[in-house]
Structures are given as C-alpha cells and as structure tokens.
C-alpha cells in the first residue's frame, strides 16, 4: 500500500496520490487517463477524479498497480470492492485484460482468452484467489503463453494449479526451464485453428507474439520503447 510520507510533490492536492515507489509502468495511465499522467520517472495524479466513472477508474488503477504505489488519504471500501470485482476486464468477446499486474514482471499486462478448445493466459498476473476463481469459473487454463523471459511472474503457480501447458521460446527458456512446451526456431507455429505463436527476436532473443483469430496481437514488449 502506498505510503503517505512518500507522496510525490507533483500530485494534485486531494485524495488520490502516487508515492515514490512508482516504477513508471504505465498501467494507471492506461486505466485512468483522466487522473494519472507521466511526470519524469514517475506517474502522478494530474487531476483528482471528479465523476463516479473517474473515481471507479482510479480505484481500478490503484488495484492493478504492481507495486502498490497508489494510495488514498480517505478510504472508500465500497468503491474499492466494486473496482476489485471488475477484474478480469472484458476487452471484446472472450478476451480479457486480467489486471492485478505483477511487480515480478515490471507491471506487464496479462490477458485471458476464453476458447472452446481450452483457455489461454498470456503472461502472468499476481497469483490471487480471486483470479484463480475467475479462471476456474470459465473452465480453467489450458495454455500459458509467455511472450518473453521478463514476464513469467507467477506462471509456474498457475500452471501447477490448472495443469496448464506453459509455452516459451527456447532462447528465453532459462526463465522457465521446466516449461512444458519450448518452441525453437523463428517460424510461426499454428496452435489450434485460432492461435499462431510468432517468434520475434529483438527485445529479447526469445520474444514471441501471439496472434489470435487474426484480430488480436498480444505483443509482449516487442513494441516497446527500447
Ligand atoms: S501503476 Fe503504479 S507503478 Fe505503474 S506507473 Fe502507475 S503508480 Fe507507477
């Protein structure tokens, strides 16, 4: 939980604040762009949320923050629980942004794909009972696709609980050496009719992206600012 004594001076006066433990991962700015902006090496509260929707989004950001850098001076348990229950967050159809980003993967997003032939988790969130139950309610996890070595986080725990097959590229496999499926080479690989695993060495030698139904591209850090 954020520490008021570490509150950044840049925060707008008011209830929500970011403290100096922020790792500048961008999650809050994506979830609540009306409230959070980047300022140097941190995020900060640019405008305090005014509407109910802005407050809801700010609480979603507080919950998703991988390192607990967002705090409130006055807690609103009802708003907190409502935002917490909104994860995983539907993007479209059976594709969800999971939330609860993990500090172990520098705040990377993870995604859940519901599919009749078995569900997929793309990279790993924190390991939480709420998420385990949410995945169970949709039939569990068959595959865990790991875009690259930095974002494995709690994949091993989810794999063990659900008996899932972890997929990682050989060049990044030192991060998950006991993965059930290690892909080699640079050729795209079709898995089931709807999924294509595509090696994209660059950000790391074993980076891969996942193309789903020719509509979604889970790109990991392939499109990153390095
Ligand atoms: S989500 Fe947390 S760690 Fe990430 S930029 Fe926002 S305050 Fe910083």
């Amino acid at each position: 939980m954020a520490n008021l004594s570490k509150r950044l001076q840049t925060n707008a006066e008011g209830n929500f604040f970011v403290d100096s433990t922020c790792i500048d991962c961008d999650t809050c700015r994506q979830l609540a762009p009306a409230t959070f902006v980047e300022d140097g090496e941190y995020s900060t509260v640019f405008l305090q949320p005014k509407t109910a929707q802005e407050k809801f989004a700010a609480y979603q950001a507080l919950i998703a923050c991988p390192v607990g850098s967002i705090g409130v001076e006055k807690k609103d348990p009802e708003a907190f629980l409502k935002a917490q229950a909104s994860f995983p967050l539907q993007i479209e159809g059976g594709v969800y942004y999971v939330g609860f980003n993990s500090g172990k993967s520098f705040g990377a997003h993870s995604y859940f794909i519901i599919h009749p032939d078995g569900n997929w988790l793309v990279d790993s969130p924190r390991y939480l009972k709420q998420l385990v139950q949410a995945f169970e309610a949709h039939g569990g996890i068959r595959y865990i696709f790991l875009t690259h070595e930095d974002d494995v986080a709690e994949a091993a725990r989810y794999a063990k609980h659900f008996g899932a097959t972890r997929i990682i590229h050989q060049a990044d496999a030192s991060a998950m050496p006991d993965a059930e499926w290690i892909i080699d080479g640079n050729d795209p690989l079709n898995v089931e009719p709807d999924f294509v695993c595509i090696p994209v060495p660059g950000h790391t030698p074993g980076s891969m992206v996942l193309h789903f139904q020719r509509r979604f591209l889970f790109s990991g850090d392939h499109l990153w600012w390095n």
Side-chain angles (χ1 to χ4, degrees), residues 96-173:
Y96 291 76
Y97 158 60
V98 174
F100 300 101
N101 297 28
S102 172
K104 292 180 180 175
S105 57
F106 309 100
H109 290 345
S110 60
Y111 299 91
F112 183 59
I113 307 167
I114 297 173
H115 193 273
D117 296 331
N119 302 329
W120 288 58
L121 182 66
V122 179
D123 291 330
S124 171
R126 281 170 259 163
Y127 190 85
L128 296 172
K129 188 177 171 190
Q130 175 181 335
L131 290 179
V132 169
Q133 289 175 339
F135 299 147
E136 283 174 347
H138 290 291
I141 301 170
R142 182 175 181 191
Y143 295 108
I144 301 176
F145 179 83
L146 298 167
T147 58
H148 65 297
E149 62 189 4
D150 301 329
D151 291 355
V152 302
E154 306 283 3
R157 293 182 73 184
Y158 282 111
K160 186 176 179 189
H161 182 89
F162 288 103
T165 295
R166 290 163 290 174
I167 304 173
I168 194 167
H169 194 276
Q170 189 273 333
D172 277 14

Side-chain angles (χ1 to χ4, degrees), residues 169-191:
H169 194 276
Q170 189 273 333
D172 277 14
S174 60
M176 192 61 59
D178 57 346
E180 290 74 16
W181 190 346
I182 295 178
I183 290 176
D184 207 355
N186 288 330
D187 294 330
L189 178 70
N190 289 288
V191 183

Side-chain angles (χ1 to χ4, degrees), residues 1 16 55-56 58-64 70-72 74-87 100 126 130:
M1 195 60 190
F16 281 84
K55 184 176 173 185
F56 178 66
Y59 264 109
Q60 284 182 315
L62 182 151
I63 290 158
I70 301 172
V72 286
K74 187 172 182 303
K75 292 179 181 165
D76 182 339
E78 192 180 333
F80 179 92
L81 290 174
K82 189 177 169 201
Q84 188 180 48
S86 70
F87 295 114
F100 300 101
R126 281 170 259 163
Q130 175 181 335

Side-chain angles (χ1 to χ4, degrees), residues 17-59:
F17 67 91
V18 177
D19 76 13
S20 59
T21 62
C22 168
I23 59 172
D24 197 17
C25 73
D26 200 34
T27 297
C28 58
R29 304 192 296 267
Q30 293 179 32
L31 284 169
T35 299
F36 299 95
V37 294
E38 187 174 28
D39 190 321
E41 295 179 349
Y42 303 107
S43 281
T44 195
V45 173
F46 172 67
L47 277 175
Q48 292 292 336
K50 291 189 180 70
T51 67
Q53 180 53 39
E54 287 172 357
K55 184 176 173 185
F56 178 66
Y59 264 109

